[in-house]
């Protein structure tokens, strides 16, 4: 049974049993503690935490998930993977243990002909929490499983919680006995390879007041409503139903392995002689490729783009690990154009939107591979230099610090460093590298833990939210009469905010727009008798609740006070112009560049906007001009702007564009500008007609990552001010060069050409002077123990001039037996030294690299290079004479 069919049957079964089918949330989720959705219950977490009221009594989903904590272990075993899908069914105060167990049993044991999965009931082994007699009795008495096949296990295995205070409860896991060929007999407690877990039923029934560890927590009492959260691994079930050994061999993953094996000439799974529990390196690399290519496809599909931090770094790392693994398998040509379409062909059966957006996905992925191939070329040069210096110093091991710098700064993989160093006869200080990596991870964990601790204390906002949602009036009015229902200072609830304090004010209703969707929050004031507050920020700490960050200018504010909330009308107008202008620019981009130029992020504030979009190359000046013209023509046409609420499927049906990474409810707000000309899901504030955007001028275009470009623009009065500044600059330049504005390009171009020609002539004259000076210097050479030595201080000459002079002098003196030339210079106050030797000198053991280190050490710096020519530098210009003397002394010592 194909994975897509397993997924379809799951949703059909639970929908038939009264569950609402909830679409998978994007992998990017609005949770500061998570890089990605990492469990099927994450989108439902606000319901379990009591932050929001559930929309349904029963729900089911197949949720896309990514876990990256064990990314280094991917491929080494058959269990580790990054992207996976979690089938879940949820009950919010409806059915409980018996209902969850019975539904699970029906689905997995019903024959495939009747719509189930058709597992052999006699091979199913449940586990229950050690004290959960109720679940044990249901499995034994209601379902009919013999007691000897029901295993009781402790908190580490069969008790679930979120790792923070909140709901928790015992769980029951379902295993299938795969047979003696997979391991020992005796149940899940004996062998979890033979007995493979595929479903976990969590019975949320208790409120945890403190959580210290997985098996160390305090229970404060029962939950007001008992809930069910189950998770069945889709890949695990596919492994069982397709009769394969592991997740890498199912229909959604293995085709990439097969194609990669074909491209590299390798054979997967046919290697013998491996120790138990280990895999052949080729198999590991093929698994890495298959896993990471699929994960990258899904992540880019949900709007993640490669970058140097956070989600973008995880994606970049996956793509680069894929390319690196193919290289280690012997394939050095671009590989993603061959592999990504194979993954698409399998995954589009469940996620058809991948096919729709594949042009954008491929553009981003292929650009990242091209960038990494360039990184590999640059890293190879840096590695070669590090290896050469290590050898010159007589070492046999590349320092861990150098390997770490290659990995961390240049993205050069440690495996590649090990391989290439070994090819040149060096080992790598792997312990030092590992220590630095561990320190980096510990810093990251500490930072993440700190963020989690800060975020975890949401109780104050949950308590305020329990009193009802904020009546959001920002779309209808700029001024609202309201009542203060909560005050918060430094994260703690208070009854009054005093003059001079800063804190958060929660009102029963508000006209203020809370920051979201790329639009910053409104500014304005909140007033009452004798009270004046300046609103400096507006946020949603939990869904449905709006908190206003204020500075108390005069008076003191108490809870229960009636106030007048007033948005600054000029601020709002400019913000509306910018947000509507963002939609206009997005539509113009797609009209000029094509439908693959999809927005991947935006930011707008009064008078200014920026928009990130999928595109693989810089825009020409003509293209930018065309985009600007299309946008301004739309503004001039005075297109109507409207906002309509509709079900999400209807919005998708009419072609409304969604912002990647945003989570949308069942009903969404569709903002249209000129009907289908621009149709996007958006919760922001907008003008009523496109002409109200005013002037729109693009001010910049740049790269923000592989396959992603950014445009910036001013709108309204800010656009006019920008154009006025540019006009003033043009007028000033015209006056300086004595030309009309329309002549400026030609006039300045001619001036730049003449300047470059003059610079070239100066360079020619300078080189001639250097050569002439070098010719006179040969007379200063003297014999040092049979070696012709020439040392000279070239004053303020730069490194290039010094190097040219050294090589010229070595050539002039080359017929006088062993020759060493050492010259110093000091461009911009920083000393430089270059040393050169001829063949006769080197045959006597006199090497330039050693001599330049002698000089550079005297100068307070370092250096290195080859035996024939080397360069170094330092800090102390006053010691150049001393440095030359040190070189001469060392030459004499080596020659003697």
């Amino acid at each position: 049974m194909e994975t897509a069919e397993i997924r379809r049957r799951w949703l059909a079964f639970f929908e038939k049993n009264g569950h609402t089918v909830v679409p998978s949330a994007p992998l990017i989720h609005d949770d500061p503690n998570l890089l990605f959705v990492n469990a099927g219950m994450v989108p439902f977490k606000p319901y379990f935490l009591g932050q929001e009221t559930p929309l349904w009594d029963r729900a089911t989903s197949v949720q896309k998930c990514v876990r990256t904590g064990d990314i280094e272990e991917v491929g080494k075993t058959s269990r580790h993977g990054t992207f996976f899908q979690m089938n879940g069914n949820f009950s919010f105060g409806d059915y409980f243990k018996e209902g969850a167990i019975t539904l699970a049993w029906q689905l997995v044991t019903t024959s495939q002909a009747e719509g189930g999965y058709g597992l052999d009931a006699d091979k199913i082994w449940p586990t229950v929490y050690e004290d959960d007699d109720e679940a044990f009795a249901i499995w034994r008495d209601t379902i009919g499983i013999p007691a000897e096949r029901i295993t009781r296990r402790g908190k580490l295995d069969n008790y679930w919680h979120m790792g923070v205070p909140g709901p928790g409860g015992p769980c029951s896991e379902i295993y299938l006995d795969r047979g003696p060929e997979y391991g020992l007999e005796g149940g899940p407690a004996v062998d979890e390879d033979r007995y493979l877990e595929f479903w976990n039923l969590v019975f949320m029934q208790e409120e945890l007041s403190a959580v210290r560890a997985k098996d160390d927590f305090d229970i404060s009492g029962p939950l007001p409503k008992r809930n069910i959260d189950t998770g069945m691994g889709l890949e695990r079930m596919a492994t069982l139903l397709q009769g394969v050994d592991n997740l890498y061999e199912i229909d959604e993953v293995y085709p990439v392995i097969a194609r990669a094996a074909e491209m590299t000439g390798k054979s997967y799974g046919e290697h013998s002689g491996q120790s138990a529990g280990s895999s052949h390196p080729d198999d590991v690399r093929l698994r890495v490729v298959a896993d990471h290519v699929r994960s990258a496809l899904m992540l880019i599909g949900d709007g993640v783009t490669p970058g140097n931090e956070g989600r973008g770094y995880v994606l970049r790392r996956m793509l680069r690990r894929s390319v690196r693994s193919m290289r280690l398998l012997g394939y050095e040509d671009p590989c993603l154009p061959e592999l990504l379409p194979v993954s698409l062909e399998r995954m589009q059966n469940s996620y058809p939107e991948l096919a729709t957006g594949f042009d954008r996905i491929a553009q981003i992925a292929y650009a990242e591979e091209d960038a990494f191939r360039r990184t590999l070329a640059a890293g190879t040069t840096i590695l070669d230099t590090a290896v050469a210096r290590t050898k010159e110093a007589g070492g046999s091991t590349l320092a861990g610090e150098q390997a770490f710098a290659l990995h961390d700064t240049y993205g050069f993989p440690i495996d590649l460093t090990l391989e290439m160093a070994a090819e040149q006869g060096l080992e790598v200080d792997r312990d030092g590298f590992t220590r630095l990596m561990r320190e980096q991870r510990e810093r990251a964990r500490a930072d993440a833990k700190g963020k989690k601790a800060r975020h975890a204390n949401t109780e104050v906002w949950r308590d305020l939210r329990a009193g009802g949602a904020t009546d959001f009036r920002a779309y209808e009015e700029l001024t609202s009469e309201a009542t203060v229902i909560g005050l918060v200072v430094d994260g703690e609830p208070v009854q009054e905010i005093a003059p001079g304090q800063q804190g958060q004010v929660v009102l029963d209703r508000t006209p203020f727009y809370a920051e979201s969707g790329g639009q910053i929050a409104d500014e304005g004031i909140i007033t009452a008798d004798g009270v004046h507050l300046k609103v400096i920020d507006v946020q949603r700490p939990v869904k449905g609740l709006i908190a206003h960050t204020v500075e108390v200018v005069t008076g003191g504010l108490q809870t229960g006070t009636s106030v007048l909330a007033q948005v600054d009308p000029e601020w709002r107008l400019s913000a509306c112009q910018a947000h509507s202008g963002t939609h206009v620019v997005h539509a113009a981009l797609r009209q000029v560049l094509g439908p693959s130029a999809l927005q991947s992020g935006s930011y707008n504030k009064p008078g200014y906007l920026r928009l990130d979009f999928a595109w693989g190359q810089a825009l020409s000046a003509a293209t930018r001009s065309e985009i600007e013209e299309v946008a301004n023509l739309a503004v001039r046409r005075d297109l109507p702007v409207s906002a309509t609420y509709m079900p999400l499927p209807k919005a998708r049906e009419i072609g409304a564009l969604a912002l990647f990474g945003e989570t949308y409810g069942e009903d969404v707000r569709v903002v249209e500008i000129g009907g289908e000309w621009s149709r996007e899901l958006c919760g922001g504030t907008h003008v009523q007609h496109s002409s109200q955007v005013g002037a729109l001028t693009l001010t910049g275009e740049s790269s923000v990552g592989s396959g992603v470009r950014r445009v910036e623009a001013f709108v309204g009065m800010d656009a006019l001010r920008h154009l006025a500044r540019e006009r003033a600059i043009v007028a000033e330049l015209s006056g300086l060069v004595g030309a009309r504005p329309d002549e400026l390009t030609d006039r300045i171009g001619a001036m730049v050409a003449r300047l470059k020609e003059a610079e070239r002539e100066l360079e020619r004259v300078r080189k001639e002077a250097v050569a002439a000076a070098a010719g006179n210097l040969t007379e200063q050479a003297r014999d040092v123990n049979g070696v012709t030595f020439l040392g000279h201080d070239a004053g303020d000459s730069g490194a290039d001039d010094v190097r040219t002079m050294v090589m010229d002098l070595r050539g002039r003196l080359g017929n006088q037996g062993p020759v060493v030339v050492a010259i110093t210079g000091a461009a911009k106050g920083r000393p430089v030294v270059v040393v050169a030797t001829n063949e006769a000198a080197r045959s006597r053991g006199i090497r330039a690299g050693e001599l330049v280190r002698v000089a550079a050490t005297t100068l307070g710096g370092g250096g290195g290079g080859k035996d024939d020519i080397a360069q170094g530098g330092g800090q102390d210009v006053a010691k150049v004479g001393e440095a030359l003397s040190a070189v001469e002394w060392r030459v004499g010592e080596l020659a003697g």
Side-chain angles (χ1 to χ4, degrees):
M1 186 183 299
E2 289 195 344
T3 305
E5 176 61 15
I6 299 171
R7 179 181 187 273
R8 188 199 65 77
R9 290 190 182 208
W10 172 277
L11 297 174
F13 173 82
F14 282 103
E15 185 174 31
K16 183 177 68 176
N17 282 278
H19 294 66
T20 299
V21 175
V22 180
S24 173
L27 287 164
I28 306 172
H29 193 62
D30 185 20
D31 187 329
N33 298 324
L34 298 175
L35 278 178
F36 307 109
V37 171
N38 61 358
M41 56 77 63
V42 167
F44 301 96
K45 193 162 71 169
Y47 306 141
F48 294 131
L49 289 173
Q51 295 172 343
E52 298 178 28
T53 302
L55 302 175
W56 333 269
D57 293 331
R58 301 180 176 194
T60 185
S61 69
V62 178
Q63 176 61 46
K64 297 176 287 187
C65 305
V66 167
R67 291 181 185 169
T68 60
D70 294 329
I71 194 169
E72 297 289 349
E73 299 303 313
V74 169
K76 294 179 181 177
T77 73
S78 61
R79 286 176 174 261
H80 288 92
T82 52
F83 174 80
F84 62 98
Q85 298 157 89
M86 188 59 71
N87 297 6
N89 60 287
F90 308 90
S91 166
F92 306 103
D94 189 10
Y95 61 83
F96 200 49
K97 291 182 183 178
E98 183 170 351
I101 292 172
T102 301
L103 286 168
W105 182 257
Q106 288 176 359
L107 178 56
V108 299
T109 60
T110 297
S111 70
Q112 293 187 10
E114 296 175 306
Y117 295 145
L119 297 185
D120 186 343
D122 293 335
K123 294 182 178 180
I124 291 177
W125 290 62
T127 66
V128 297
Y129 181 53
E130 56 191 357
D131 296 333
D132 194 350
D133 295 334
E134 181 185 1
F136 188 96
I138 294 170
W139 281 113
R140 182 191 60 196
D141 302 334
T142 304
I143 303 303
I145 291 183
E148 59 269 22
R149 291 218 318 266
I150 308 171
T151 306
R152 293 181 184 266
R153 306 183 81 171
K155 293 176 181 176
L156 283 174
D157 296 299
N158 278 70
Y159 195 96
W160 179 92
H161 56 72
M162 294 184 184
V164 294
C171 58
S172 179
E173 297 177 327
I174 310 175
Y175 292 75
L176 185 75
D177 180 2
R178 298 200 286 171
E181 63 270 27
Y182 287 96
L184 300 175
E185 188 175 358
V190 175
D191 191 326
E192 289 200 0
D193 284 324
R194 171 173 174 170
Y195 300 88
L196 186 67
E197 178 209 343
F198 62 88
W199 201 340
N200 185 18
L201 315 178
V202 177
F203 312 129
M204 291 190 201
Q205 61 188 46
E206 292 159 338
E207 180 83 23
L208 308 188
S209 57
V211 177
R212 293 172 290 277
K214 179 74 169 68
D215 57 347
D216 184 13
F217 48 83
D218 297 331
I219 299 173
S220 60
L223 286 172
K225 284 188 177 182
R226 301 184 303 180
N227 304 311
I228 289 294
D229 160 28
T230 89
M232 185 188 83
L234 182 54
E235 285 76 10
R236 287 281 181 93
M237 182 56 78
T239 299
L240 296 172
L241 293 182
Q242 293 173 18
V244 296
D245 285 344
N246 56 67
L247 65 90
Y248 290 99
E249 296 173 10
I250 66 172
D251 64 309
E252 287 190 346
V253 182
Y254 185 75
V256 177
I257 289 181
R259 180 67 184 118
E262 179 185 358
M263 292 164 64
T264 58
K266 303 295 183 180
S267 297
Y268 176 75
E270 296 182 4
H271 305 283
S272 60
Q274 298 301 301
S275 60
S278 67
S279 297
H280 189 280
D282 287 352
D283 288 352
V284 172
R285 290 162 185 157
L286 288 168
R287 289 173 184 163
V288 168
V289 170
D291 175 87
H292 287 3
V293 166
R294 185 169 79 135
S295 297
L297 172 72
M298 303 307 296
L299 287 170
I300 300 174
D302 274 0
V304 184
T305 55
N308 290 326
E309 59 184 24
R311 299 178 178 114
Y313 179 71
V314 172
L315 172 60
R316 169 163 288 167
R317 193 173 173 204
M318 287 181 178
L319 287 167
R320 292 186 169 191
R321 277 170 60 88
S322 302
V323 175
R324 178 209 354 163
S325 296
M326 289 295 288
R327 184 187 186 281
L328 294 175
L329 287 165
Y331 192 85
E332 298 195 5
D333 292 331
C335 63
L336 292 180
E338 298 290 332
L339 299 174
L340 203 65
V342 176
S343 189
L344 169 70
E345 194 275 328
R346 298 310 306 164
M347 298 306 298
Q348 66 182 347
N349 295 330
S350 296
Y351 304 99
E353 64 272 15
L354 292 172
T356 304
F358 189 68
D359 286 347
R360 178 188 63 86
I361 295 169
Q363 187 177 67
I364 292 171
Y366 302 164
E368 179 64 19
E369 178 173 19
D370 290 342
F372 184 48
R373 287 168 60 82
R374 292 192 295 272
T375 294
L376 286 176
T380 299
T381 301
I382 295 165
L383 177 61
D384 288 344
T385 301
V387 167
R389 289 179 177 175
T390 301
K391 286 183 174 181
E392 284 175 8
S396 61
T397 302
L398 189 70
E401 290 83 356
Q402 291 174 313
F404 179 76
L406 279 164
H407 170 85
D408 193 53
T409 306
Y410 301 102
F412 208 69
I414 182 60
D415 288 354
L416 206 53
T417 300
L418 290 167
E419 174 194 347
M420 296 179 67
E423 289 173 355
Q424 300 185 61
L426 289 186
E427 295 182 348
V428 176
D429 177 11
R430 188 65 187 265
D431 290 341
F433 173 83
T434 303
R435 173 179 53 80
L436 292 167
M437 286 293 294
R438 183 171 61 249
E439 291 173 359
Q440 185 187 63
R441 289 194 188 103
E442 287 170 355
R443 289 193 296 268
R445 286 194 191 103
D447 182 57
K449 187 175 181 181
K451 289 179 180 178
K452 185 172 184 178
R454 291 193 297 271
H455 180 71
N457 185 21
T458 60
E459 186 175 352
V460 60
W461 305 115
R462 289 167 55 189
D463 290 345
L464 287 168
R465 177 63 177 82
T470 306
D471 182 7
F472 181 62
R473 308 293 298 169
Y475 298 143
E476 295 85 14
E477 55 196 37
L478 294 176
T479 301
S480 297
E481 294 180 352
T483 301
V484 178
I485 62 172
L487 299 171
V488 178
V489 175
D490 295 330
E492 298 296 331
V494 296
Q495 292 300 309
E496 182 178 4
I497 297 183
Q501 276 191 305
Q502 186 177 110
Q504 285 77 43
V505 178
V506 178
L507 307 174
D508 63 342
R509 64 185 299 173
T510 182
F512 283 87
Y513 181 82
E515 181 179 359
S516 64
Q519 180 177 333
I520 69 171
D522 282 332
E523 290 189 359
I525 57 174
I526 297 175
T527 59
D529 290 341
V531 179
H532 184 99
L533 312 177
K534 181 181 179 182
V535 178
I536 57 176
D537 192 19
V538 189
Q539 298 289 334
R540 288 184 172 89
V542 296
K543 191 172 182 180
L545 191 75
I546 295 176
H548 310 74
T549 299
V550 301
E551 291 178 351
V552 182
V553 180
T554 58
L557 186 66
Q558 298 177 334
T559 56
T561 303
S562 296
V563 298
L564 188 65
Q566 304 172 75
V567 176
D568 181 337
E570 285 299 320
W571 178 277
R572 170 66 70 79
L573 173 60
S574 295
C576 289
Q577 289 177 313
H579 204 152
S580 296
T582 304
H583 286 224
V584 168
V585 171
H586 187 203
L589 280 167
R590 289 168 55 78
Q591 182 172 322
V592 173
L593 302 178
S596 63
L598 276 172
Q599 176 181 338
S600 58
S602 67
Y603 171 79
N604 50 76
K605 64 180 182 179
Y608 167 85
L609 68 91
R610 72 169 185 242
L611 186 148
D612 299 341
F613 62 101
W615 200 249
Q617 58 192 30
L619 304 182
S620 67
T623 300
R624 293 198 302 270
S625 178
E626 184 179 359
I627 292 166
E628 186 177 73
E629 182 173 350
V630 169
N632 279 291
L633 285 174
V635 169
R636 192 184 71 175
R637 287 165 58 196
D638 197 29
L639 300 172
V641 180
S642 64
T644 309
Y645 286 92
M646 64 183 67
L648 182 57
K650 175 64 175 177
R652 286 175 172 156
E653 181 183 326
I654 66 173
L657 300 176
L659 180 64
F660 289 112
E662 288 290 321
T663 302
Y664 300 100
E666 290 189 310
D667 285 332
V668 294
R669 185 170 181 258
V670 178
V671 173
E672 295 181 328
I673 300 177
E676 65 179 359
W677 187 78
S678 170
R679 185 174 282 155
E680 300 188 32
L681 305 189
C682 181
T685 60
H686 290 272
V687 298
Q688 295 179 331
H689 291 270
S690 63
S691 61
Q692 293 173 313
V693 170
L696 189 154
T697 180
L698 296 184
T699 60
E701 187 265 342
S702 59
S703 170
V704 291
S706 298
V708 181
R709 307 294 299 181
R710 170 175 292 172
V711 292
E712 298 175 86
F714 287 121
V715 297
M717 289 302 300
D718 288 87
L720 294 176
R721 294 185 188 104
H722 172 76
L723 293 172
R725 288 193 298 270
E726 289 201 333
R727 185 170 62 244
I729 292 171
V730 170
E732 186 174 355
L733 287 173
S734 296
L736 287 172
V737 303
R740 296 193 308 271
D742 59 348
E743 298 173 338
L744 275 180
T745 300
D746 291 340
R747 182 67 61 87
I748 292 176
M751 292 172 66
V752 169
R754 289 196 299 272
L755 180 60
K756 288 181 178 179
E757 180 61 32
E759 288 174 345
R760 284 193 291 270
E761 179 63 19
L762 285 172
E763 178 68 10
R764 185 186 64 78
V765 172
R766 185 185 60 77
K767 287 182 177 179
E768 289 177 353
V770 168
N776 297 329
L777 288 175
T778 57
E779 299 175 2
Q780 299 179 16
R782 54 184 173 272
D783 181 88
V784 179
N785 286 348
V787 175
T788 301
F789 175 77
L790 174 57
H792 175 68
D793 177 14
D796 60 359
S797 298
D800 289 343
D801 287 346
V802 171
R803 194 177 185 91
T804 299
M805 193 178 297
V806 165
M807 295 179 71
D808 182 61
L809 286 167
R810 182 181 62 178
R812 291 172 185 262
L813 297 170
N815 58 358
Q816 299 184 24
V819 172
V820 175
V821 179
I823 297 182
T824 59
K828 299 180 180 179
R830 296 292 297 271
V832 62
V833 58
V834 179
V835 178
T837 61
N838 68 356
E839 174 106 17
R842 293 192 293 277
S843 69
R844 295 182 60 176
I846 303 173
R847 296 176 175 82
E850 178 185 353
L851 296 176
V852 88
R853 280 192 290 274
V854 170
T857 300
T858 305
L859 294 170
K866 299 178 181 179
D867 292 347
D868 62 333
I869 187 164
Q871 179 175 320
Q875 306 293 328
D876 194 346
V877 157
K879 291 188 176 181
V880 294
E882 186 179 336
L884 291 171
S885 296
V887 173
E888 182 176 355
W889 179 86
R890 181 58 177 158
V891 168
E893 187 177 49
L894 291 170

